[in-house]
């Protein structure tokens, strides 16, 4: 499907939960996070239905994100349900990696193709500071398990404060080179202030090339990460919500006051 600016939209990013087992400083407040109620979160059947409706409209690539997708109970089952939809050419997940060691093998067997793991430093102390208590050893185990399970390529998402040659970013780059991983460097963004730049090593942040729609955990289709526009599949129906999002996809992102990274998924 093409939007008003003739961009081909073939990529749907699905945030399956607003919950997370880490508290990264640039993503979540320490406490007082406002979580949506369980009853408002889309069921697996609803998510599969959105995928089933979007594929004939032109969606080929699906990515599961969050929050932390692997804290959603039985996520492997959702992966299987999405992989079962005919026409899904690429099924990926973005994860902090903490639960990947336990799940990589079953995710691959269920039909997951690829994984992006977020890692901003290779220093255990610094990692614990950034994530407010995370254990980097679990992430390393998760990355290894993903490679063993054949979830290739494993990409590493590294959030940088300002420059891709910051010491932590350089160390991540070296770790990737030594371990057959593909790094992507993402400048820290601010949704409410509209700060975003093109992802170094990836495709995000370049409005002219944007090929995405997003689905929030509560069933809103969002045409743009940096916009308050959203269309509710439960109120409008899936097709109408997707078509409205497509039609109103802005030429360029501005600001988003209605979402945070931990519920829309970056
Ligand atoms: N929990 C998973 C993870 O961390 O990979 C998936 C969700 S997380 C919101 C998705 C991506 O957004 C991660 O790579 C994370 O580093 C990035 N992210 C979060 N907050 C950000 C911010 N303020 N600026 C840029 N990227 C951010
Ligand atoms: Fe959780 Fe990912 Fe946000 Fe970190 S970036 S707090 S891991 S959702």
């Amino acid at each position: 499907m093409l939007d008003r600016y003739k961009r081909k939209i073939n990529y749907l990013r699905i945030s399956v939960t607003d919950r997370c087992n880490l508290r990264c400083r640039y993503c979540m407040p320490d406490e007082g996070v406002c979580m949506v109620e369980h009853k408002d979160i889309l069921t697996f059947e609803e998510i599969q239905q959105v995928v089933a409706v979007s594929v004939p409209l032109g969606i080929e690539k699906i990515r599961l994100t969050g929050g932390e997708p692997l804290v959603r109970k039985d996520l492997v089952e959702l992966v299987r349900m999405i992989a079962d939809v005919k026409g899904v050419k690429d099924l990926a997940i973005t994860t902090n990696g903490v639960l990947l060691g336990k799940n990589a093998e079953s995710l691959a067997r269920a039909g997951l193709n690829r994984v992006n793991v977020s890692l901003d430093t290779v220093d255990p102390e610094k990692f614990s500071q950034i994530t407010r208590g995370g254990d980097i050893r679990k992430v390393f185990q998760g990355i290894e398990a993903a490679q063993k399970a054949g979830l290739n390529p494993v990409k590493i998402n590294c959030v940088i404060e300002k420059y891709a040659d910051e010491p932590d970013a350089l160390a991540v780059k070296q770790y990737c080179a030594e371990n057959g991983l593909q790094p992507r460097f993402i400048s820290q963004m601010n949704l409410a202030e509209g700060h975003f730049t093109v992802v170094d090593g990836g495709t995000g942040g370049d409005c002219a090339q944007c090929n995405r729609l997003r689905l929030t955990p509560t069933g809103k289709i969002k045409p743009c990460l940096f916009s308050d526009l959203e269309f509710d599949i439960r109120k409008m129906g899936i097709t109408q919500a997707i078509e409205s999002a497509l039609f109103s996809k802005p030429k360029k992102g501005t600001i988003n006051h209605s979402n945070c990274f931990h519920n829309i998924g970056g």
Side-chain angles (χ1 to χ4, degrees):
M1 51 189 156
L2 295 181
D3 72 0
R4 282 181 298 163
Y5 306 100
K6 304 269 182 293
R7 290 171 297 197
K8 183 178 169 188
I9 308 301
N10 63 355
Y11 183 15
L12 178 66
R13 295 172 67 103
I14 303 176
S15 176
V16 297
T17 179
D18 61 341
R19 285 153 171 82
C20 188
N21 47 359
L22 296 180
R23 285 281 176 281
C24 301
R25 292 179 181 279
Y26 47 73
C27 179
M28 273 205 181
D30 196 0
E31 48 191 32
V33 193
C34 180
M35 297 292 179
V36 289
E37 286 186 48
H38 272 291
K39 67 169 175 49
D40 295 329
I41 302 259
L42 292 182
T43 63
F44 285 179
E45 286 69 24
E46 285 176 304
I47 295 175
Q48 186 194 37
Q49 199 50 42
V50 173
V51 174
V53 170
S54 25
V55 167
L57 295 173
I59 295 296
E60 300 168 318
K61 290 171 36 164
I62 305 281
R63 176 174 298 277
L64 304 182
T65 176
E68 172 48 39
L70 291 174
V71 302
R72 176 108 190 224
K73 196 165 164 277
D74 299 326
L75 188 84
V76 172
E77 183 51 28
L78 178 64
V79 166
R80 185 170 298 114
M81 288 166 71
I82 294 176
D84 274 353
V85 176
K86 264 215 172 77
V88 174
K89 292 194 182 141
D90 186 36
L91 178 53
I93 189 173
T94 298
T95 170
N96 60 34
V98 171
L99 296 171
L100 197 53
K102 282 189 196 149
N103 289 289
E105 184 65 44
S106 2
L107 286 167
R109 264 190 269 125
L112 189 74
N113 302 120
R114 297 187 298 112
V115 59
N116 284 38
V117 181
S118 301
L119 186 67
D120 307 331
T121 176
V122 290
D123 176 348
E125 272 298 306
K126 191 91 183 272
F127 182 83
S128 171
Q129 272 171 27
I130 296 172
T131 59
R132 298 196 184 94
D135 180 354
I136 202 168
R137 288 170 304 180
K138 294 206 174 115
V139 183
F140 290 144
Q141 282 163 16
I143 291 170
E144 230 174 273
Q147 288 180 310
K148 270 202 191 123
L151 293 170
N152 286 314
V154 176
K155 295 187 182 172
I156 300 296
N157 287 5
C158 176
V159 172
I160 53 179
E161 270 170 44
K162 284 203 181 93
Y163 307 106
D165 61 355
E166 287 161 10
D168 282 315
L170 288 178
V172 168
K173 198 172 177 180
Q174 188 180 341
Y175 163 76
C176 288
E178 286 165 0
N179 291 281
L181 304 158
Q182 293 182 15
R184 299 158 75 244
F185 296 97
I186 307 164
S187 296
Q188 210 164 299
M189 302 182 234
N190 187 319
L191 293 178
E193 290 174 10
H195 293 157
F196 62 100
T197 48
V198 177
V199 171
D200 182 3
T203 52
D206 183 356
C207 299
Q209 305 299 326
C210 187
N211 60 352
R212 306 161 179 205
L213 292 178
R214 291 182 155 80
L215 176 64
T216 72
T218 54
K220 317 288 192 310
I221 303 274
K222 291 202 64 90
C224 172
L225 177 58
F226 280 87
S227 157
D228 284 320
L229 286 169
E230 56 185 32
F231 302 89
D232 192 329
I233 61 155
R234 283 174 169 164
K235 289 189 184 138
M236 304 173 74
I238 299 170
T239 307
Q240 186 63 48
I242 293 174
E243 281 172 357
S244 303
L246 184 72
F247 182 74
S248 59
K249 191 171 165 68
K251 189 170 184 184
K252 215 173 169 333
T254 49
I255 45 171
N256 182 344
H257 288 123
S258 6
N259 302 98
C260 310
F261 271 94
H262 73 269
N263 62 35
I264 195 170

